[in-house]
Amino acid sequence: MPDTLLRARLLTFTREPQGSEDHGAYRFVEDGALLVSDGLIKASGSFGDVREKAGDGTTVIDHRPCLMMPGFIDAHLHFPQVQVIASWGAQLLDWLKDYTFPAEALYADPAHCERMAAHFFDELVNNGTTTPVAYCSSHKTSADAYFAEARRRNMRVIGGKVLMDRNAPDAVCDTPQGGYDDSKALIRDWHGKGRALYAITPRFAITSSPEQMEACGALAREHPDCHIQTHLNENHAEIDETMALYPDATDYLGVYERYGLLRSNSLLGHCIHMQPREIDILAETKARPVFCPTSNLFLGSGLFDYEGLRDRGILSAIATDIGGGTSYSMLQTLHEGYKALALRGGNKLHPLRAFYWMTLGNAEALGLSDRIGTLDVGSDADIVILDSRATSAMALRMETAKSLAEELFILQIMADDRSVSQTYVAGEAMKRQADTAGQI
Ligand code: GUN
Ligand code: ZN
């Protein structure tokens, strides 16, 4: 493969921006470039400087005036819910029973898993997402299909089969031993292979018996480098049912605490209705809440307290939660996130912070910022190219944009997959055929 030089307006973050004037939190180069070789970023900076480092025969692709950023990271979504999005009328527990479990039951069939995996990754790439952190169904075959499709595309992914052995139809339930054995086999086959990482995935306390929670605790002890993902405090009825099923637990988080599931690579979806003690435990264990705004608004679950958690030093991730969530687009997710935080009445979500969040912020929450979420030299070449004038309405609005922050906010509020002009995965153009290129 010849090296590739990508030319565009380069934006990458170095830490969380504290406001418009916090220029030290990011690197923006108006005529910027990346030199990509063997799936990695070899040079990053101004076009003039990077060009000097490129050898003869390097392919040059000019994406100006688009922005070039690290590929987006979606820290919580459900692969077997691609046909659950836009299911009408219910709150969480009815939505699971009426729509989600029946849809997930179909993933016992490998052919269905393979077809849906291809669509799932197509949608992610169309929307500029280069790393998903996904729940598969309880069937091992769904996780095999997820990881196999990711490997075909050389994508960095995290995922796991859900463990669930009760309070759901037989067609989506496993058993404590079966769930443990399948998780072990999946970890053996996929974890750390190529760009894949495994997440131990008890669905939530309602659908796992104490015996299965013990098995999850064993998996967690045996595989400290695997992520752990589950749901927490999404909905009042869910919390009441959890406390009825685990009457000895101090609170909902206490269930996961008891079975050893809380650590810095634990991802807890939603975390909306938190008790003070639970917030203390998050701060102590460094388990990460995951904010899923489109889902929280769609299912009527509630408003995530981003600022309250942040003030306690708790690092949150942000995610689509397909298919409780309503869009694959992380841009749309940050759009709804802006509105959800506005409804709480606190500070508005600044666009610099929003773009940091879905790139370096999520990479930090996943413990992967040495590889993804940045355009620094040595990182994986997972890159998104964004067109701030992709629609006529955006082009009109851009006529009056005076700053980078204003342009980013237009993208955050008005953009969707139409603004994702290209997505590079490990240096390969994945959204559409590589653009016409010149050579040095
Ligand atoms: N809690 C347990 N399972 C799910 C799920 O699939 N989606 C959401 N939003 N919450 C859950
Ligand atoms: Zn979820």
Side-chain angles (χ1 to χ4, degrees):
M1 264 298 285
D3 291 357
T4 309
L5 188 153
L6 303 177
R7 184 176 189 181
R9 298 166 59 233
L10 183 153
L11 175 63
T12 185
F13 292 88
T14 50
R15 59 171 166 74
E16 184 178 47
Q18 301 306 311
S20 302
E21 299 310 312
D22 189 4
H23 303 299
Y26 62 91
R27 194 154 57 83
F28 175 64
V29 188
E30 180 64 37
D31 188 6
L34 295 175
L35 182 63
V36 173
S37 176
D38 294 330
L40 299 176
I41 296 174
K42 280 284 173 63
S44 173
S46 73
F47 173 70
D49 288 350
V50 173
R51 190 182 189 285
E52 293 210 337
K53 294 181 181 138
D56 289 346
T58 299
T59 304
V60 181
I61 303 173
D62 192 347
H63 284 295
R64 289 175 302 166
C66 287
L67 283 165
M68 173 159 65
M69 294 191 54
F72 301 144
I73 299 167
D74 185 344
H76 178 129
L77 76 171
H78 296 258
F79 155 48
Q81 294 179 15
V82 291
Q83 294 181 315
V84 177
I85 308 168
S87 292
W88 187 84
Q91 285 222 346
L92 176 65
L93 298 180
D94 287 336
W95 174 85
L96 286 171
K97 177 167 62 67
D98 296 344
Y99 301 114
T100 308
F101 294 153
E104 294 197 7
L106 304 177
Y107 286 69
D109 172 13
H112 183 71
C113 294
E114 276 170 36
R115 187 167 92 81
M116 290 302 147
H119 286 298
F120 178 75
F121 282 102
D122 282 349
E123 291 304 331
L124 295 178
V125 165
N126 273 340
N127 283 282
T129 296
T130 49
T131 291
V133 183
Y135 290 58
C136 301
S137 74
S138 59
H139 316 94
K140 179 173 178 290
T141 178
S142 73
D144 280 323
Y146 171 81
F147 284 118
E149 188 61 36
R151 182 168 61 190
R152 260 191 287 285
R153 298 170 194 240
N154 198 17
M155 283 177 80
R156 181 167 294 284
V157 297
I158 302 178
K161 80 154 225 101
V162 291
L163 294 121
M164 51 191 293
D165 68 342
R166 65 173 182 183
N167 293 323
D170 289 348
V172 290
C173 281
D174 55 15
T175 60
Q177 190 63 47
Y180 174 87
D181 292 345
D182 283 350
S183 301
K184 287 296 265 194
L186 288 163
I187 292 167
R188 179 197 64 215
D189 293 345
W190 296 108
H191 181 62
K193 305 281 166 66
R195 305 188 73 204
L197 294 170
Y198 196 81
I200 299 158
T201 309
R203 181 173 211 123
F204 63 163
I206 292 178
T207 48
S208 284
S209 64
E211 199 185 348
Q212 179 159 73
M213 282 298 188
E214 292 281 2
C216 292
L219 287 168
R221 278 193 305 281
E222 289 156 14
H223 300 282
D225 56 334
C226 283
H227 287 79
I228 297 169
Q229 57 180 349
T230 189
H231 296 87
L232 178 75
N233 287 334
E234 179 176 3
N235 165 289
H236 292 298
E238 170 212 18
I239 296 168
D240 291 346
E241 194 168 331
T242 301
M243 296 320 293
L245 289 163
Y246 285 96
D248 298 339
T250 330
D251 43 41
Y252 192 163
L253 190 60
V255 178
Y256 301 142
E257 192 184 6
R258 180 193 302 169
Y259 294 103
L261 300 178
L262 304 181
R263 58 194 192 197
S264 63
N265 59 1
S266 300
L267 301 164
L268 303 171
H270 307 295
C271 295
I272 297 169
H273 310 286
M274 300 288 289
Q275 300 293 328
R277 193 200 80 92
E278 293 177 307
I279 296 172
D280 291 344
I281 299 298
L282 286 188
E284 213 174 276
T285 59
K286 300 203 162 28
R288 316 288 188 202
V290 187
F291 177 31
C292 305
T294 71
S295 169
N296 296 165
L297 295 172
F298 179 73
L299 292 174
S301 302
L303 299 175
F304 181 76
D305 186 9
Y306 164 69
E307 289 206 301
L309 294 172
R310 199 169 157 273
D311 288 348
R312 294 292 313 276
I314 296 165
L315 191 64
S316 305
I318 183 152
T320 63
D321 191 30
I322 293 297
T326 51
S327 170
Y328 288 90
S329 169
M330 286 303 292
L331 296 163
Q332 282 294 300
T333 300
L334 266 305
H335 171 176
E336 299 281 305
Y338 178 86
K339 292 176 182 169
L341 300 190
L343 273 172
R344 283 197 73 94
N347 290 315
K348 296 285 171 63
L349 175 61
H350 194 277
L352 282 171
R353 189 169 275 169
F355 277 78
Y356 155 82
W357 205 354
M358 63 178 138
T359 56
L360 185 62
N362 270 355
E364 285 171 345
L366 298 175
L368 291 175
S369 55
D370 59 330
R371 300 260 39 91
I372 57 173
T374 156
L375 299 181
D376 288 349
V377 173
S379 307
D380 298 351
D382 290 346
I383 299 156
V384 63
I385 306 290
L386 295 175
D387 179 359
S388 312
R389 297 174 183 80
T391 66
S392 53
M394 291 178 75
L396 191 62
R397 175 63 182 86
M398 276 294 291
E399 284 181 14
T400 61
K402 291 185 186 58
S403 66
L404 174 67
E406 205 174 338
E407 179 175 356
L408 293 179
F409 195 55
I410 291 167
L411 280 163
Q412 181 184 341
I413 300 304
M414 299 182 79
D416 52 29
D417 58 314
R418 291 169 294 179
S419 280
V420 176
S421 161
Q422 187 58 281
T423 305
Y424 292 93
V425 172
E428 293 287 322
M430 300 294 276
K431 173 151 176 169
R432 53 195 176 88
Q433 237 185 349
D435 300 74
T436 337
Q439 268 196 348
I440 286 181

